[in-house]
Amino acid sequence: MAVKVSNKLNNAFEGALAGGGDPATSPLYVFGPFLKLIVVAGVAKVTFGASLWLVVITIMVVSAMYRLVMRWVTDGSGGSGLSEEEFGSWAVKVNAAITFVEYTLTFLVSMAAMVTFIADRLPMLNEAIFGIQYRTFVAIALSILTGWLVNRGPKMAARTFGPATAGVLVLLWVMIGATIWQRGFHLPDFNLAAFSGDYFHFTLAGYVRILAVMTGIEVFANLVAAYEGTDEVRSRRAFNSLLIIMGTTAATMLIVGPAILELSDPTNLKVSVFTQTMDALLPSPLPYFGTIVGIAVLMSASAASAQGLQNLALGLKKRNYIPPNLGQQNDFDVADKPVWLEVAIVSIAFLFVGTNEETYLAIYAAGVFILLSMTGWAVTKRLIRQARENFTIGKALLVPGTTIAAILTTGATVIIFEERFLEGAWSYLIFIPILYIGFSFSRSILGEPDPILDYLGGLDTALLAGFGFGQMAPAAVTVGSPGPAPEITWDPEPIEQSHWRTEHKTIKKIAVLLDGSVYAAQALPAAKRICRETGASMTLLSGVKSYSHGPQEQFNADLAARERYLDSLLEQLEADGFEVDKVVRMGSIAAVTQAFVGSAGVDLVITTTRGKSGKKHWMSGGMSSKLMMRLDIPVYLVQGEQPKDMGRKPEKILVALDGSIKAEKVLPYARTLAQVYSSDITLISVPQIPETENYRAPADVVENLRVGAEAKMTNFLEAVARGLEKDGIKVDIIVKGSRPATTIVETAEEGDYGLIMLTSNGRGSFGRIIMGADSERIVGSTNRSVLMMPSRPE
């Protein structure tokens, strides 16, 4: 009997390695800006310990707050505690915007700290050429490498960066042990004088500078669903993972922190204070091994932020908050475009702002504490509601604790913005509104998400990267159970008969678009076959552009050449017995076609997806894609590997349907072509509910939804097939996959279908360019001919 292999986490230590990369690295870089402030000001003896203890207290209360979240939410969606139900859609969009900025800043801070560690051992990297430090080029190169590795999927990233978190935990405990061994066990003083007079300002300023140790703590609430066991076991293991990481971080702050203060020189800009302390405490060559571990884990944190952005994009795509193209998955099933966008932003920042991590730390911490403070208030609000509904002393006593956590994190946010507003915190006031507007615009164009995908969005949250940290897509955040799955419905229900299922379409006139190139002429064999089988007449249609800055003589010459070219084709076609005429008009071919089709009663437009250059231009805004924005009749896009394929009779036709009435608009043309060609038809539907093995939600939930969706889609296709079979057409049905474009293209290749037929989800030109569509991705990904029926929104 085969043994089932589980990819879930078995214990708290595995969870610590899977989710602890970001907070575990923070002691490596937070002390530099902290000590530079208080040592230079001469207040370190008074304020140092107070700032550290404030941070440790904050770690404790925020960890306790997340213990509650882990108990309430065991499906992995507890990351920030924000939901539309609790706060409204504004909270979801603000959360998503801040998280996008935070992931980018995580990449910036971690990569900047990493090149600082490298430069500690290779000081020449601090030298400059053309005013740019060599370390900047190293940072950009490593950023590109990291993006490339992450975009090759989580397995590649896990193999590359997996051991790093374990390495940094060992390094931190070695530093703790070496400190105690050489200097004894001494905790920093909590001097009350730090909260009086001028000291108070430096105490708070130091506090906010080392608050970056809190980054990534929220991931452990996301990891609950990633463990084996019951809900209670999983939540306990997730909290124990949090304790391992945050306990190590707090111990490092309290035990190694005083040693860093005494042994390092924060004014030494060539070597980081952590490296200076390693050199002083550890015997050679251990400090060099420590540097290697630090470099690896900081690169791991950068990689984890990039993977977090991938998952964020997938979640936002499911909720229609970003264009589908931005969340499109590559061959490794990850959304690669957001990562390359992140790498581009990071590279620009390194070039123009520099690679000093201190530059980005305050901005970084500001966003973290906005999210943590929102989480604190969300948890407090939930507790109060629960206490009102079912009052217990225990719940009532928890409210003050979560309120303190909310006040601490909110206070830290205010302090950070007041302290570092002019040094970069102001950027949130620009980027957050821009992203907020972008999310709102995307939702307005794409509409509300499907209720099933909306429900699943709240479950697709556990990031099992095997390294670094992760966070669920904020657009899918819920506090509490997502509730029962909604009923799957269709537009229309499968039993409802649309008139497209029985309608016949007669093709009497076709227009073939020609630009004088051999590539456009490859549409003629398919046009000739259709005309021969249907008896339709043919118009050779062409447009010649007139440029205002060009000479009239050039336009006249181009027009005459095009006339001669079409005349030669017309003679050949007439000799072969076709009823044919030609039309040449001034203007772009797309505009000419729109005007001609509307006035001449054309039933079908035939063209190729390649222009004069021979390059496929559908996805780059070429003529064939523009036609779909302008026409209301189908466009037959001729494609093929070889010229002989262009006019081949399609023995089998693949018709894609998604259960909507507008998708059925292609059926009359499928019926007509299948009859005239004596072709078989295969109807295919792709449930957008992910297949169980490809989804991070609880397997039984997804499996039940998947089975229900497949059953309803099968009933739907069988109802459509019955109408086609009455006309003597042989019909098969296929229900499979979860990614429409990929599944349809792969099925067409595997089954050697001669023609793919579908309805585009037209949204108008601007929306189509921005949002993209599965129909366009199909055309761009296959060499099979495609007949596409434009569909306008009602």
Side-chain angles (χ1 to χ4, degrees):
M1 183 178 69
V3 178
K4 181 181 178 181
V5 179
S6 173
N7 291 318
K8 288 184 176 289
L9 303 172
N10 292 307
N11 54 63
F13 185 70
E14 286 185 1
L17 297 184
D22 186 39
T25 60
S26 56
L28 306 184
Y29 54 77
V30 296
F31 280 103
F34 169 46
L35 294 183
K36 190 179 297 182
L37 170 73
I38 61 175
V39 170
V40 172
V43 299
K45 288 185 178 180
V46 177
T47 66
F48 177 81
S51 295
L52 281 187
W53 280 111
L54 281 178
V55 169
V56 171
I57 291 170
T58 305
I59 290 174
M60 293 170 60
V61 296
V62 172
S63 298
M65 174 183 73
Y66 272 112
R67 181 65 184 111
L68 292 175
V69 175
M70 292 172 184
R71 285 174 174 166
W72 291 336
V73 189
T74 58
D75 64 4
S77 61
S80 72
L82 300 176
S83 70
E84 294 192 36
E85 178 189 20
E86 297 272 347
F87 290 95
S89 63
W90 70 269
V92 173
K93 289 180 279 191
V94 168
N95 185 22
I98 295 173
T99 303
F100 176 84
V101 175
E102 281 304 288
Y103 281 145
T104 304
L105 285 168
T106 298
F107 199 111
L108 272 167
V109 170
S110 301
M111 193 61 66
M114 185 182 69
V115 295
T116 294
F117 258 63
I118 296 173
D120 286 346
R121 303 305 182 190
L122 298 173
M124 64 169 291
L125 294 180
N126 293 317
E127 298 175 6
I129 180 172
F130 304 120
I132 302 175
Q133 289 181 309
Y134 289 110
R135 60 189 284 164
T136 299
F137 298 110
V138 173
I140 292 174
L142 291 174
S143 297
I144 294 172
L145 174 62
T146 301
W148 180 79
L149 287 169
V150 169
N151 281 335
R152 292 183 69 81
K155 287 186 179 179
M156 170 67 78
R159 284 195 292 264
T160 305
F161 303 110
T165 302
V168 80
L169 287 176
V170 171
L171 172 63
L172 293 180
W173 281 106
V174 167
M175 289 289 287
I176 291 170
T179 301
I180 296 173
W181 178 264
Q182 295 187 30
R183 305 174 61 82
F185 182 78
H186 300 292
L187 297 177
D189 295 330
F190 191 89
N191 194 332
L192 292 178
F195 299 94
S196 63
D198 293 337
Y199 290 125
F200 182 64
H201 167 77
F202 288 102
T203 300
L204 292 182
Y207 168 63
V208 300
R209 277 164 173 75
I210 52 176
L211 275 176
V213 298
M214 297 288 294
T215 59
I217 188 174
E218 76 285 344
V219 68
F220 295 104
N222 301 142
L223 283 177
V224 176
Y227 296 84
E228 294 281 8
T230 63
D231 287 353
E232 176 56 33
V233 169
R234 288 186 285 124
S235 66
R236 185 177 66 251
R237 288 175 175 173
F239 184 65
N240 289 338
S241 297
L242 181 151
L243 291 181
I244 291 171
I245 295 298
M246 301 314 297
T248 299
T249 300
T252 303
M253 305 297 289
L254 293 176
I255 297 173
V256 183
I260 294 175
L261 172 64
E262 294 183 24
L263 298 175
S264 68
D265 177 10
T267 63
N268 181 354
L269 302 181
K270 294 184 178 180
V271 182
S272 68
V273 296
F274 196 89
T275 297
Q276 293 179 50
T277 308
M278 278 199 306
D279 290 343
L281 290 176
L282 303 181
S284 181
L286 288 183
Y288 289 91
F289 286 116
T291 297
I292 293 172
V293 169
I295 291 169
V297 78
L298 287 165
M299 192 170 181
S300 165
S302 294
S305 80
Q307 193 177 48
L309 198 59
Q310 289 173 340
N311 286 273
L312 171 63
L314 291 177
L316 293 177
K317 174 189 173 184
K318 285 171 187 158
R319 289 298 187 94
N320 291 346
Y321 278 122
I322 62 171
N325 283 336
L326 195 58
Q328 185 178 355
Q329 293 166 283
N330 63 11
D331 293 338
F332 300 96
D333 287 326
V334 294
D336 56 344
K337 293 183 181 66
V339 174
W340 290 126
L341 175 62
E342 181 181 49
V343 169
I345 293 171
V346 165
S347 300
I348 292 170
F350 285 151
L351 282 172
F352 290 97
V353 184
T355 57
N356 188 343
E357 64 271 21
E358 183 178 349
T359 305
Y360 310 104
L361 269 177
I363 313 173
Y364 181 36
V368 169
F369 275 83
I370 293 173
L371 290 176
L372 289 179
S373 61
M374 293 173 80
T375 302
W377 293 117
V379 171
T380 301
K381 181 177 180 179
R382 178 182 175 86
L383 271 176
I384 293 172
R385 189 179 74 241
Q386 285 186 341
R388 287 175 176 171
E389 293 172 354
N390 183 20
F391 180 84
T392 64
I393 298 296
K395 291 177 182 177
L397 292 176
L398 287 174
V399 172
T402 58
T403 303
I404 291 172
I407 292 173
L408 274 174
T409 51
T410 303
T413 304
V414 173
I415 294 169
I416 291 171
F417 270 87
E418 188 275 330
E419 274 279 319
R420 307 303 287 269
F421 184 80
L422 296 179
E423 298 178 28
W426 57 266
S427 59
Y428 283 95
L429 302 181
I430 296 177
F431 294 125
I432 302 307
I434 289 174
L435 290 168
Y436 186 97
I437 292 170
F439 295 147
S440 300
F441 174 76
S442 179
R443 174 64 76 88
S444 70
I445 294 292
L446 296 172
E448 295 292 325
D450 181 274
I452 291 293
L453 294 181
D454 189 56
Y455 169 81
L456 281 173
L459 301 176
D460 183 24
T461 57
L463 177 60
L464 297 177
F467 70 96
F469 75 96
Q471 179 171 322
M472 64 151 317
V477 175
T478 56
V479 175
S481 170
E487 179 69 19
I488 300 172
T489 58
W490 300 114
D491 173 26
E493 285 290 336
I495 58 173
E496 181 181 337
Q497 294 291 319
S498 73
H499 65 91
W500 306 112
R501 297 187 190 179
T502 56
E503 184 174 317
H504 292 255
K505 191 68 179 181
T506 303
I507 299 176
K508 296 181 179 180
K509 188 169 186 177
I510 67 172
V512 185
L513 311 187
L514 301 167
D515 61 8
S517 70
V518 64
Y519 299 104
Q522 289 175 345
L524 284 171
K528 290 163 64 176
R529 178 174 288 278
I530 290 176
C531 288
R532 186 176 293 115
E533 299 290 348
T534 63
S537 64
M538 183 190 314
T539 297
L540 308 180
L541 182 61
S542 191
V544 179
K545 292 183 180 180
S546 175
Y547 300 99
S548 57
H549 59 275
Q552 182 65 30
E553 292 79 5
Q554 181 62 51
F555 170 75
N556 292 337
D558 291 343
L559 182 61
R562 191 65 53 83
E563 292 273 7
R564 289 193 298 272
Y565 169 71
L566 294 181
D567 283 339
S568 65
L569 293 177
L570 189 144
E571 289 180 10
Q572 296 173 20
L573 291 167
E574 285 181 335
D576 291 336
F578 291 99
E579 181 184 346
V580 60
D581 62 355
K582 68 177 179 67
V583 174
V584 183
R585 293 182 178 177
M586 184 175 69
S588 69
I589 186 62
V592 166
T593 303
Q594 182 182 21
F596 178 74
V597 163
S599 61
V602 174
D603 300 303
L604 179 67
V605 171
I606 302 181
T607 183
T608 65
T609 56
R610 302 180 189 273
K612 293 183 178 180
S613 67
K615 295 181 179 180
K616 197 169 184 177
H617 53 47
W618 173 265
M619 297 301 288
S620 59
M623 180 270 295
S624 51
S625 63
K626 293 176 182 176
L627 289 174
M628 299 309 302
M629 305 173 192
R630 296 169 177 260
L631 302 183
D632 292 313
I633 62 171
V635 178
Y636 194 122
L637 300 167
V638 178
Q639 301 189 116
E641 293 285 355
Q642 302 293 333
K644 61 181 178 64
D645 297 330
M646 305 298 183
R648 187 180 67 165
K649 171 186 173 181
E651 301 289 344
K652 297 192 296 181
I653 298 173
L654 185 66
V655 181
L657 300 172
D658 64 5
S660 67
I661 277 188
K662 70 176 183 180
E664 296 184 25
K665 290 178 68 174
V666 76
L667 288 175
Y669 294 92
R671 175 181 286 103
T672 296
L673 292 181
Q675 288 177 325
V676 300
Y677 286 141
S678 299
S679 303
D680 297 339
I681 286 180
T682 297
L683 304 175
I684 182 170
S685 280
V686 183
Q688 293 194 48
I689 298 173
E691 295 163 295
T692 305
E693 64 270 20
N694 296 328
Y695 212 65
R696 299 184 179 96
D700 56 341
V701 174
V702 181
E703 180 64 23
N704 289 338
L705 290 172
R706 177 80 190 179
V707 169
E710 288 180 345
K712 288 206 169 188
M713 277 197 163
T714 299
N715 290 339
F716 166 73
L717 293 185
E718 287 176 348
V720 174
R722 285 193 290 270
L724 295 170
E725 288 169 342
K726 289 179 180 178
D727 293 314
I729 301 171
K730 182 181 177 182
V731 184
D732 293 320
I733 63 172
I734 294 176
V735 177
K736 70 175 184 178
S738 60
R739 294 165 57 188
T742 300
T743 302
I744 291 168
V745 170
E746 289 177 351
T747 302
E749 295 297 324
E750 293 167 359
D752 193 26
Y753 288 88
L755 179 64
I756 302 171
M757 300 184 69
L758 49 87
T759 300
S760 76
N761 44 340
R763 304 185 190 92
S765 58
F766 184 69
R768 181 181 300 278
I769 292 171
I770 298 298
M771 297 299 158
D774 281 322
S775 54
E776 294 169 4
R777 283 189 282 277
I778 290 169
V779 177
S781 303
T782 185
N783 284 315
R784 308 278 165 174
S785 293
V786 179
L787 186 144
M788 193 177 299
M789 180 71 200
S791 175
R792 296 286 177 264
E794 299 301 329

